[in-house]
Amino acid sequence: MFVHVSLEKGGVLMAVDNKSSFLRIFVVLTTFCALSGALLAWVHSFTAEAVERAALEQRAQAVSIVLPSHTNDPLADACSIALAGTDRELEVYPAFSGTEFVGAAVESYSLDGFSGEIVVMYGFDAHGRVVGYEVVSQAETPGLGARMQQWFRMDRGNRSVIGLDPCDPASRLTADGGSIDGITAATITSRAFVDAMARARAVFDVYCSQKETR
């Protein structure tokens, strides 16, 4: 009888110890998960801010490169315009010299790149002629489509788009009846570049029809 009671008490003590250990493990794991979640949230917030800041700096640099000489702050005067029948707005960065409109930069895109979307900043003078461009983002094949950053500004053959008006039918690839030499072995990328350029020019026209004299 004595042995029986002792075993019962030992079983109770063991059950209490097991429950206590389980609670300690639960508290430790819960605390660890909470701290890990907070740390991941902080890292994500920090990283997101850094990525956004880098994107803004890249955009500002691209705008300054492609625009003609100006006295205003194009980023402060920027506006968003969506073409008729589309939901995606494009950013327009107007340039003024005093009160005279001298051109604008338009961040445009094409979804028809070889590896998907390309984003390009195009600069236009007051008459809609291309004065510069900067590739903002692309995932084209290195050594082929990725060469668009340099190709369409080269003074070799008919590669350069500088000085062209995208509204001119000649501002298409030679393969499509125009006068622009596409990137060798990268026709798809070349068409996407010209497509984005034409879209930018269309948005430029909309801006010019809406802008007020400063």
Side-chain angles (χ1 to χ4, degrees):
M1 188 70 170
F2 177 78
V3 173
H4 176 71
V5 172
S6 296
L7 287 174
E8 283 188 348
K9 288 183 178 180
V12 171
L13 289 174
M14 184 177 294
V16 171
D17 287 342
N18 287 340
K19 184 176 181 180
S20 177
S21 298
F22 174 78
L23 287 174
R24 283 198 298 270
I25 293 173
F26 176 77
V27 170
V28 170
L29 289 177
T30 301
T31 303
F32 176 78
C33 290
L35 291 175
S36 298
L39 178 61
L40 288 174
W42 178 81
V43 171
H44 174 74
S45 175
F46 179 80
T47 303
E49 290 178 3
V51 170
E52 183 178 358
R53 185 166 56 251
L56 289 174
E57 291 175 354
Q58 181 187 24
R59 182 173 293 108
Q61 182 179 16
V63 169
S64 68
I65 290 173
V66 305
L67 278 178
S69 179
H70 53 278
T71 57
N72 68 312
D73 181 356
L75 272 70
D77 295 332
C79 65
S80 301
I81 294 176
L83 292 174
T86 65
D87 296 326
R88 182 163 174 173
E89 295 183 327
L90 302 189
E91 293 297 311
V92 180
Y93 304 90
F96 291 85
S97 180
T99 59
E100 179 186 2
F101 176 68
V102 294
V106 180
E107 186 176 84
S108 186
Y109 72 96
S110 175
L111 301 177
D112 299 326
F114 184 79
S115 299
E117 182 181 73
I118 66 169
V119 179
V120 185
M121 186 77 72
Y122 296 92
F124 300 97
D125 64 17
H127 303 289
R129 293 183 294 255
V130 178
V131 293
Y133 75 87
E134 282 290 311
V135 177
V136 177
S137 67
Q138 54 86 19
E140 302 300 275
T141 307
L144 293 174
R147 297 172 65 193
M148 66 178 145
Q149 178 67 285
Q150 297 81 29
W151 184 276
F152 293 107
R153 66 176 94 252
M154 290 181 178
D155 292 327
R156 184 183 301 177
N158 293 312
R159 297 180 182 182
S160 179
V161 299
I162 308 303
L164 297 183
D165 182 347
C167 288
D168 188 331
S171 295
R172 294 181 294 177
L173 299 182
T174 53
D176 298 324
S179 63
I180 302 172
D181 292 336
I183 303 169
T184 304
T187 302
I188 293 176
T189 300
S190 300
R191 284 198 175 108
F193 180 91
V194 173
D195 173 54
M197 184 172 68
R199 182 173 289 105
R201 179 62 163 83
V203 168
F204 174 86
D205 284 344
V206 174
Y207 172 79
C208 289
S209 67
Q210 296 178 350
K211 72 179 176 67
E212 298 178 356
T213 304
R214 291 174 50 123

